[in-house]
């Protein structure tokens, strides 16, 4: 029997015996849901980083997630204020967002500041300092905050502050003879302030003296008021683990000791084949293999882990299971049953990248070559807790805590030792002091406040904390974009629009927002072309194996499990030639592999490096200094060595049941018809077929990039969608499929031909499949269309280049194409393309809604024909069910990775180190870094996806209420939703479970004659604009929009 | 001086002068608080590398053409105490230093071009390239050094810039910690070199290497010191070389050095830093010839390094560590070759290895793609990693032990920490307690005000 099964079986027996253990196991599984759900990096699937919290509303979730993971929920306040200054956040929108957020509470009076709304607006506009008391004291003493009014305050406010104070003092102060009696003034509060003016008589004070005096008076009044109003105890973050308390008390991090052992072991355990010598006894599971390895004598010298080997030996000999060991460790650590869940969660999250990967390979073992045996996560936890115990004891001892204090008592002992100074009077007063300056509130207005009024004021100020402010800012930040989008759609659709009549050719693209621009350019180059967007797997969910591939890969969204297998087969040349070619390829592969491992070995390495090592200087210099030329040379050489072959997809199945064997590959005619009809109906292409219909998938090619898969087609599960496009074209060209489609009301004319293609989003190259099958009569037309596609690709490359700082703004389209080609091949290029960094919107509806609208590569464009749908919106439900999770996953992953790149993303790419073939670390031993690297997200605007659907609002609301992911995402605010009525074009916005009318703000939409005219000279995000002036060529031309 | 001698001298000055000038200009500009654009920095470095490289190639051609085997450039005696002390700056171009300096220029130039794009938009771009320029200068000075003082200068510059490049991400604790570790090991090795310099002065009255290594040109020099003296100086130099080249027992710093961006990792264990120790040994080869003990020691250290590093490289699960131990394996073998007196072999091995490994390091992020290609060509999964066949003979329990030894990187770090650093620290703490007891007693109370001081700056960040 397999040892892992044994340990599983043991666990099972125990758990039935022992309810407590079952409870423990349950808690572990529960805590595991918090772990990052990212799988091996070679297949990067974008997903909501806070997937575990989707049941909560967005704002609740980010705040809770931020606390849990120690990350940032929103952009920083400073950044938001910067956006307010530059106009990205509009002040009027900030006001309206704040008012809506407060609702009826907006006009609640606040002492001195007017209303709650007024106070909060001031707090949003102006930063105020906070910090520990001694720091503030230092700050007040060393800076000129008590001499000069804050520079942010307007001149009017400053004048008001000074004038009122002056009037107050002169009125209140008794001027007798030569001296002034300060003791009487304001009950002695201002005692001694006058003396600081260097003996100059009060009437002779200059403006600077009065300014300083006003501030000092204000400061005293604030301190006095806060002092009278009662105490506030700071809420210190809870410290669950021993390590946290020890770190606070001694400054020593016990996790550093533990990680030194745990990280290399995790990496060895999860290794998918990078190491030449794999972990012994890996199949026995995490816990057993760790015990077996570290129980041996003559281990590494480690003072803190003395006794570990013996304990592991006893555990192994006593056949103690991981679960039992966890129980024992928790007991020894003094973790009570009710806090177990919390303790386990924080112990797992301490190394959440590795831990999450163990869990992923355990539950989704199908995604990896070497899955983790069941029970691995428990094994990890057991080992972690054992090591934690040793490390904690060691750190405690080194920190001067006697051995007599057991681990059980340690936490109580440490909590007792904590001395965190409470929030002092000064630090609370500073907030009021700084806010009063910008609001022009002088000391005399604050002075008469009663104790309870002070309490109220402080409550108001402290009740609108940093997190709350950032939330409001985020809303206003998003509001600007949403307004722009809805305004643009509203204005753009004032005229009546319908499909292009008698189009010259049609092209079906992926919904990806990176394809928005190429569709636009295509329509600009060929105004008589029509484009569509559908999820880039084109409804052909399959396991695919190309002619040069070793394995099948799933090409479909990650939620779909394909049931069909498709291969690419060579059709030309004798079997002999083909097998000779295979053998040659294999020999080259073996040589390549041999060279790689050889150069890393002892003697072979010596011979290789001494003998031919210097030859490496040629590729080294060539590839570094001339990446594009080298790549072209290599391509040419490759083609010379191996002429391109003619291949076909094995798409039609002969056996009755699908399978991966030769007979079972492909679809039967019924299935083909089914999926063909599905795609065509969804995008609304059921009549008016052009003679040529292009089906274009997309993928990405980049060099030296472990995150390559994250740039590929999301709807194909992080792979290239070319084969899917090819498959769909082949299916729709099939005579028998067309016959059956005709029976279902989709009549594809015999003159129409589908051609599959692939758009490379990095170097903007376009390739087409099965060109040799195109009927004779269409060849010439295809060549012309291909030329048009080339021009569109070039224009697309040009538009993309505006975002690359290293591409001059003066580039020509040809120059732009060369630039992006070099980017794709450059080993040193960490930003081969920007990926989804511009994503923000998803529009589901007819192309007419958006055709001719410059959307700045920000919108996922999903084609949907409302008039073809039923009353219940069945087609729409299917579209949204497939598309929204993909788009929201991309959008939210970018959101979180941008908002806190170090916490939720994977930090900068530069020190990344591919480990175990499943992910990246920083340097040689860090946690596994999940999420997106900085170089993918740096200029992303973190906003939630705005989903605009062309559908009747009432029906759409009923669709959402039917349940499912889409409804939940929209209701909980992870995705913002708006509906645009198919007939009236009225826009309604989904808020709090219902559709409310949208109010258009702008009255004019900027226009430009072409995309290039609009974007040129600009690198930042652009406003939306109307492309191609009305009344110009587009309208007069044959078959253009009307 | 004939005209071609003048040309050679002029070129020689350029080889050293160009990097020195760039480092000085960049340093000054940044010190004065001006911002340098990425483009300017790149151009500066490019200029220095190309000038230096061209001059070095000119010298090579000149030497080949004239058959001259040694060109020495003396920048004067800076301190002379007749008969006692002599401090000279001198650069020597010979069959060892010219290939090495050309290698340095080529690799640093290429990696610099790589880095200028790799670090595009990085906030600390200028700091990286400032350190990089210092590194270049250090490499050039160290490889051309004709006196031990000059050698030490280059050696120090390389050490300093390396440690700071490791700690490039200074805002995270792990890189700073690793940088400190590297720095500490380098200090030990620097101290050894410094002692060697002192001993050399004591023996010879000056630090000129030609006096020590005897007349003749590399590799046909013949040291004229007594075997006992050679042993002492040689031992110190071996310690110095072992620290710099991460030989046993200092190997632990090597994987830690990858905390910086990929190009700086490539510089360290791929290309140059790690070979600098071996270069020192090659330079001082005549000395090693004088003592069979030194040669024997080198062979032993080299073999131990090669075998342990090879063992570690087998089990490394991340690509950069795997490459770094593979690199160390070869450095160990190069040291063995030097011990055996195979000078040309060692030189060729070093140059070949440095270029090959640099390419592999720069392409390290491609490993997933690379394996994918190999699997596609093979048409199946790559073979599962197994223990090496020789080890399998030993039986499961020895195998497990060996695996752990390899995974724990031969225990070398732990050994240094527990056997060297920890006792040292404890000794110091003991002295501190002792001192405190006495001062307390003498002052009749608590004698250290510093005990009650709070960190004045630790909290200011929270304010801003």
């Amino acid at each position: 029997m397999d040892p892992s099964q044994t340990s599983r079986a043991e666990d099972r027996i125990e758990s039935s015996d022992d309810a407590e253990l079952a409870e423990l196991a349950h808690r572990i599984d529960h805590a595991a849901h918090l772990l990052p759900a990212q799988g091996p990096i070679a297949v990067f699937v974008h997903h909501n980083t806070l997937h575990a919290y989707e049941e909560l509303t967005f704002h609740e979730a980010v705040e809770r997630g931020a606390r849990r993971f120690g990350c940032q929920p929103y952009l920083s306040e400073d950044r938001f204020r910067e956006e307010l200054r530059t106009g990205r956040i509009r002040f009027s929108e900030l006001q309206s967002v704040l008012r809506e957020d407060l609702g009826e509470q907006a006009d609640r009076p606040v002492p001195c500041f007017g209303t709650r709304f007024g106070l909060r607006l001031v707090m949003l506009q102006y930063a105020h300092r906070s910090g520990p008391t001694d720091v503030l004291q230092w700050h007040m003493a060393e800076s000129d905050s008590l001499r000069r009014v804050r520079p942010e305050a307007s001149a009017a406010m400053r004048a008001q502050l000074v004038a009122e104070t002056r009037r107050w003092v002169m009125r209140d102060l008794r001027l007798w003879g030569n001296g002034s009696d300060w003791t009487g003034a304001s009950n002695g509060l201002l005692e001694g302030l006058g003396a600081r003016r260097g003996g100059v008589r009060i009437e002779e004070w200059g403006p600077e003296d009065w300014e300083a005096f006003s501030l000092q008076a204000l400061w005293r009044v604030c301190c006095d008021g806060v002092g009278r109003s009662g105490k506030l105890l700071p809420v210190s973050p809870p410290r669950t683990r021993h390590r946290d308390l020890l770190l606070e008390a001694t400054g020593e991090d016990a996790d550093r000791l533990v990680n030194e052992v745990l990280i290399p072991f995790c990496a060895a355990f999860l290794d998918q084949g990078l190491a030449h010598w794999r972990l012994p006894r890996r199949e026995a599971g995490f816990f057993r293999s760790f015990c077996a390895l570290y129980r041996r004598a003559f281990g590494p010298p480690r003072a803190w882990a003395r006794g570990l080997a013996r304990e592991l030996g006893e555990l192994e000999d006593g056949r103690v299971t991981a679960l039992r060991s966890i129980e024992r460790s928790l007991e020894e650590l003094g973790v009570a049953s009710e806090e177990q869940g919390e303790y386990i969660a924080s112990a797992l999250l301490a190394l959440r990248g590795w831990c999450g990967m163990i869990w992923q390979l355990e539950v989704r073992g199908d995604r990896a070559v070497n899955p983790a045996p069941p029970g691995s996560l428990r094994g990890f936890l057991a080992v972690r807790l054992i090591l934690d115990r040793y490390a904690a004891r060691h750190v405690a001892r080194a920190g001067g805590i006697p051995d007599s204090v057991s681990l059980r008592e340690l936490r109580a002992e440490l909590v007792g030792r904590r001395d965190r100074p409470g929030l002092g009077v000064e630090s609370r007063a500073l907030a009021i002091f700084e806010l009063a300056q910008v609001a022009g509130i002088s000391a005399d207005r604050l002075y008469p406040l009663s104790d309870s009024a002070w309490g109220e004021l402080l409550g108001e100020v402290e009740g609108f904390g940093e997190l709350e402010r950032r939330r409001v800012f985020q809303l206003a930040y998003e509001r600007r974009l949403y307004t722009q989008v809805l305004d643009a759609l509203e204005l753009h659709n004032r005229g009546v629009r319908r499909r292009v009549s008698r189009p010259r050719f049609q092209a079906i693209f992926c919904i990806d927002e990176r394809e928005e621009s190429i569709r636009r350019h295509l329509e600009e180059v060929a105004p008589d072309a029509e484009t569509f967007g559908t999820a880039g797997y084109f409804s052909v969910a399959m396991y695919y194996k190309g002619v040069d591939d070793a394995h099948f890969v799933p090409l479909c969204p990650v939620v779909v499990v394909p049931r069909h297998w498709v291969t690419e087969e060579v059709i030309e040349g004798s079997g002999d030639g083909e097998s000779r070619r295979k053998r040659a390829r294999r020999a080259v592969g073996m040589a390549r592999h041999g060279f790689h491992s050889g150069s890393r070995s002892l003697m072979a390495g010596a011979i290789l490096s001494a003998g031919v090592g210097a030859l490496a200087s040629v590729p080294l210099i060539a590839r570094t200094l001339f990446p594009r030329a080298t790549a072209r040379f290599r391509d040419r050489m490759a083609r010379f060595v191996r002429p391109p072959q003619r291949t076909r997809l094995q798409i039609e199945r002969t056996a009755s049941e699908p399978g991966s064997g030769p007979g079972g590959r492909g679809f039967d005619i019924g299935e083909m018809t089914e999926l063909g009809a599905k795609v065509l109906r969804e995008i609304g292409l059921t009549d008016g077929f052009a003679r040529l219909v292009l089906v274009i998938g997309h993928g990405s090619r980049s060099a030296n990039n472990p995150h390559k898969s994250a740039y590929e087609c999301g709807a194909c599960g992080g792979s290239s969608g070319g084969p899917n496009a090819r498959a769909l074209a082949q299916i729709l060209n099939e005579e028998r499929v067309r016959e059956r489609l005709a029976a279902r009301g989709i009549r594809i004319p015999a003159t129409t031909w589908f051609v599959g293609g692939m758009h490379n989003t990095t170097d903007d190259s376009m390739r087409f499949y099965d060109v040799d099958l195109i009927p004779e009569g269409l060849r010439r037309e295809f060549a012309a269309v291909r030329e048009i596609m080339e021009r569109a690709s070039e224009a697309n490359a040009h538009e993309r280049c505006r975002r690359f700082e290293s591409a001059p703004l003066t580039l020509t389209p040809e120059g732009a194409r060369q630039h992006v080609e070099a980017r794709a091949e450059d080993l040193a290029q960490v930003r081969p393309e920007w990926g989804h960094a511009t994503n923000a919107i998803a529009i589901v509806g007819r192309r007419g809604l958006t055709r001719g609208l410059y959307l700045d590569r920000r919108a996922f464009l999903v084609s949907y024909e409302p008039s073809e749908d039923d009353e219940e919106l069945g087609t729409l439900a299917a579209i949204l069910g497939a598309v929204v999770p993909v788009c929201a996953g991309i959008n939210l992953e970018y959101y979180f990775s941008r908002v806190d790149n170090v916490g939720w993303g994977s930090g900068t790419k530069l020190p990344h180190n591919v480990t175990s073939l499943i992910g990246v670390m920083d340097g040689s031993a860090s946690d596994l870094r999940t999420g997106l690297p900085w170089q993918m997200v740096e200029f992303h605007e973190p906003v939630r996806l705005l989903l605009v659907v062309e559908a009747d609002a009432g029906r759409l609301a009923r669709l959402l209420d039917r349940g499912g992911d889409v409804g939940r995402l929209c209701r909980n605010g992870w995705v913002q939703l708006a509906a645009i009525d198919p007939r009236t074009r009225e826009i309604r916005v989904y808020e709090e479970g219902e559709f409310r009318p949208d109010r258009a703000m702008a009255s004019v939409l900027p226009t430009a004659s072409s995309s290039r005219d609009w974007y040129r000279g600009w690198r930042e995000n652009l406003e939306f604009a109307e492309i191609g002036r009305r009344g110009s060529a587009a309208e007069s031309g044959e078959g253009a929009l009307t | 001086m004939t005209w071609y001698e003048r040309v050679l001298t002029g070129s020689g000055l350029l080889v050293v002068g160009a990097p020195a000038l760039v480092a000085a200009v960049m340093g000054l500009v940044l010190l004065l608080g001006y911002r340098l654009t990425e483009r300017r920095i790149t151009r500066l470095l490019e200029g220095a590398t190309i000038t230096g490289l061209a001059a070095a190639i000119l010298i090579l051609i000149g030497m080949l053409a004239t058959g001259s085997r040694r060109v020495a450039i003396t920048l004067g005696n800076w301190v002379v105490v007749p008969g006692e002390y002599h401090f000279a700056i001198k650069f020597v171009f010979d069959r060892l230093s010219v290939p090495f300096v050309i290698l340095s220029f080529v690799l640093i130039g290429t990696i610099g071009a790589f880095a200028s794009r790799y670090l595009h938009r990085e906030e600390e771009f200028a700091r990286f390239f400032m350190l990089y320029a210092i590194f270049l200068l250090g490499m050039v000075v160290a490889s051309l050094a004709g006196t031990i003082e000059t050698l030490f200068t280059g050696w120090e510059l390389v050490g300093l810039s390396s440690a700071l490049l490791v700690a490039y991400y200074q805002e995270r604790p792990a890189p700073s910690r690793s940088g400190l570790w590297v720095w500490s090991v380098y200090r030990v090795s620097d101290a050894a070199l410094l002692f060697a310099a002192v001993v050399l002065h004591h023996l010879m009255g000056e630090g000129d290497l030609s006096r020590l290594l005897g007349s003749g040109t590399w590799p046909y020099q013949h040291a004229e010191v007594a075997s006992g003296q050679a042993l002492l100086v040689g031992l110190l130099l071996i310690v110095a070389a072992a620290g710099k080249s991460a030989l046993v027992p200092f190997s632990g710093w090597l994987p830690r050095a990858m905390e910086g961006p990929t190009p700086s990792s490539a510089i360290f264990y791929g290309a140059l830093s790690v070979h600098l120790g071996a270069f020192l040994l090659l330079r001082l080869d005549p000395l090693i010839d004088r003592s069979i003990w030194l040669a024997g020691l080198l062979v032993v250290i080299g073999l131990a390094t090669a075998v342990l590093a090879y063992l570690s490289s087998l089990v490394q699960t991340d690509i950069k560590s795997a490459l770094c131990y593979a690199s160390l394996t070869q450095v160990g073998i190069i040291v063995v070759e030097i011990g055996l007196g195979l000078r040309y072999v060692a030189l060729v091995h070093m140059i070949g290895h440095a270029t090959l490994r640099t390419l592999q390091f720069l392409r390290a992020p491609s490993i997933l793609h690379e394996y994918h290609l190999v699997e596609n060509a093979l048409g199946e999964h790559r073979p599962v990693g197994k223990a090496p066949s020789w080890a399998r003979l030993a039986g499961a329990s020895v195998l497990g032990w060996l695996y752990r030894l390899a995974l724990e990187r031969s225990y070398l770090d732990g050994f240094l920490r527990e056997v060297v650093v920890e006792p040292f620290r404890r000794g110091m703490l003991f002295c501190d307690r002792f001192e405190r007891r006495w001062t307390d007693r003498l002052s009749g109370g608590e004698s250290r005000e510093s005990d009650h001081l709070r960190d004045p700056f630790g909290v200011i960040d929270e304010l801003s």
Side-chain angles (χ1 to χ4, degrees), chain A residues 806-818:
Chain A
S806 50
L809 285 168
T810 50
L811 273 182
T812 59
E814 304 87 82
R817 177 77 85 88
Q818 287 178 9

Side-chain angles (χ1 to χ4, degrees), chain A residues 990-1040:
Chain A
Y990 190 67
E991 276 164 3
E992 287 157 27
E994 56 177 13
F995 281 96
R996 297 171 183 167
D998 174 58
R999 51 238 165 275
M1001 311 271 286
S1003 51
V1004 204
L1005 192 58
T1007 56
S1009 61
S1010 69
S1011 293
R1012 195 174 164 189
D1013 268 353
W1014 183 242
Y1015 67 69
R1016 70 175 162 209
W1018 196 248
R1019 295 203 186 275
E1020 314 298 316
N1021 282 338
L1022 277 169
E1023 276 179 85
F1024 305 118
E1026 190 101 44
I1027 299 300
R1029 274 173 214 289
R1030 302 205 176 167
S1032 67
E1035 221 162 293
S1036 57
E1038 168 85 2

Side-chain angles (χ1 to χ4, degrees), chain A residues 273 276 294 297-298 302 548 550-551 585-586 592 599 606 624 704 805 826 910 912-914 916 938, chain B residues 117 121 262 314 317-320 329-330 357 360 362 366 370 375-376 378 382 385 404 408 411 417:
Chain A
H276 288 179
Y294 276 91
F298 304 110
R302 258 193 203 111
D548 287 339
H551 315 293
R585 237 169 79 81
R586 203 181 144 79
R592 196 170 180 143
S599 76
T624 312
N704 227 14
E805 217 174 87
D826 189 353
L910 308 189
H912 277 180
N913 179 9
V914 178
S916 310
E938 60 188 309
Chain B
R117 301 199 297 278
R121 286 173 65 85
T262 304
L314 286 177
T317 47
D318 60 281
I319 181 61
K320 287 189 186 171
T329 310
Q330 295 307 314
R357 211 58 88 188
Q360 287 185 338
L362 294 185
S366 300
E370 192 63 40
E375 288 199 348
N376 281 348
L378 296 182
R382 285 172 308 109
R404 185 179 58 181
E408 291 278 346
Y411 305 172
R417 195 159 43 207

Side-chain angles (χ1 to χ4, degrees), chain B residues 69-130:
Chain B
R69 292 198 154 175
R70 188 165 185 277
V71 176
I73 296 169
T74 312
L75 295 181
N77 287 317
W78 290 71
V79 178
V80 182
V81 181
E84 291 286 327
Y85 186 78
H86 214 76
F87 181 96
I89 296 181
K90 185 174 164 192
F91 298 102
V92 174
F93 293 85
D94 61 8
R95 289 185 178 194
L96 176 63
S97 63
V98 170
F100 200 73
V101 88
I102 289 179
L103 176 77
S104 301
F105 274 122
V106 168
L107 291 184
I108 291 181
T110 316
I111 296 173
F114 183 94
S116 69
R117 301 199 297 278
Y118 202 74
L119 272 85
H120 173 54
R121 286 173 65 85
E122 189 74 358
E123 224 165 279
E124 304 277 357
F125 191 89
R127 178 159 60 91
F128 181 89
F129 279 95
M130 182 66 241

Side-chain angles (χ1 to χ4, degrees), chain A residues 41-42 129-132 134-136 138-139 256 260-261 264-265 267-268 271-280 293-304 306 369 548-551 582 585-586 588-590 592-593 595-596 599-603 605-610 613-617 619-621 623-625 627 703-706 708 805-806 826-831 834 908-918 921-925 935 938-939, chain B residues 38 106-107 109-111 113-115 117-122 168-169 172 177 255-256 258-263 306-307 310-311 313-323 326 329-330 333 337 345 348-349 351-353 355-360 362-388 391 396-404 406-409 411 414-415 417-419 454 457 459-460 462-464:
Chain A
I41 195 167
R129 273 174 246 271
S130 61
D134 43 359
V135 182
L136 293 179
W138 176 87
H139 175 77
R256 201 165 52 77
E260 203 174 274
V261 184
F265 187 82
D271 186 25
Q272 303 295 310
L274 202 149
H276 288 179
W277 179 3
R278 63 186 284 193
L279 178 68
L293 195 64
Y294 276 91
R295 68 173 296 187
R296 291 173 202 286
F298 304 110
R302 258 193 203 111
W304 64 271
R306 217 159 275 150
V369 183
D548 287 339
D549 295 344
H551 315 293
K582 275 227 162 86
R585 237 169 79 81
R586 203 181 144 79
V588 171
M590 289 295 261
R592 196 170 180 143
H593 184 59
F595 185 80
H596 261 265
S599 76
R600 276 153 57 180
S601 76
L602 203 60
M603 286 330 286
I607 293 163
L608 279 176
S609 56
L615 295 181
S617 56
L620 174 67
I621 294 169
R623 295 202 64 177
T624 312
L625 300 183
N704 227 14
N705 182 10
K708 174 178 175 290
E805 217 174 87
S806 50
D826 189 353
L827 289 178
Q829 186 51 264
V830 281
R831 300 170 189 83
W834 282 119
T908 169
K909 233 173 172 178
L910 308 189
H912 277 180
N913 179 9
V914 178
T915 179
S916 310
L917 300 180
I918 48 167
M921 299 190 291
D922 287 327
S924 65
Q935 283 81 1
E938 60 188 309
F939 89 96
Chain B
E38 285 183 18
V106 168
L107 291 184
T110 316
I111 296 173
F114 183 94
R117 301 199 297 278
Y118 202 74
L119 272 85
H120 173 54
R121 286 173 65 85
E122 189 74 358
Y168 173 74
Y169 292 106
R172 282 192 286 127
R177 215 170 255 286
R256 290 170 192 262
M258 68 179 78
E259 296 288 352
T262 304
V307 169
Y310 172 60
L311 207 57
S313 80
L314 286 177
V315 307
Q316 293 309 312
T317 47
D318 60 281
I319 181 61
K320 287 189 186 171
S321 298
L323 285 175
T329 310
Q330 295 307 314
I333 294 176
E337 288 161 0
V345 175
V348 170
H349 194 170
I351 292 172
H353 179 239
T355 28
L356 176 65
R357 211 58 88 188
T358 303
L359 179 63
Q360 287 185 338
L362 294 185
R363 295 192 54 210
S366 300
I367 184 71
L368 287 164
H369 181 64
E370 192 63 40
Y371 277 1
H372 188 68
L373 286 184
V374 167
E375 288 199 348
N376 281 348
L378 296 182
E380 62 197 15
H381 286 298
R382 285 172 308 109
V384 174
K386 274 190 270 182
S397 101
V398 179
L399 215 57
W401 190 86
L402 272 180
Y403 184 89
R404 185 179 58 181
L407 191 68
E408 291 278 346
R409 298 168 174 173
Y411 305 172
F415 170 78
R417 195 159 43 207
E418 306 283 337
V419 181
R454 294 183 56 185
F457 298 114
V459 276
I460 285 177
E462 293 174 36
L463 192 68
S464 57

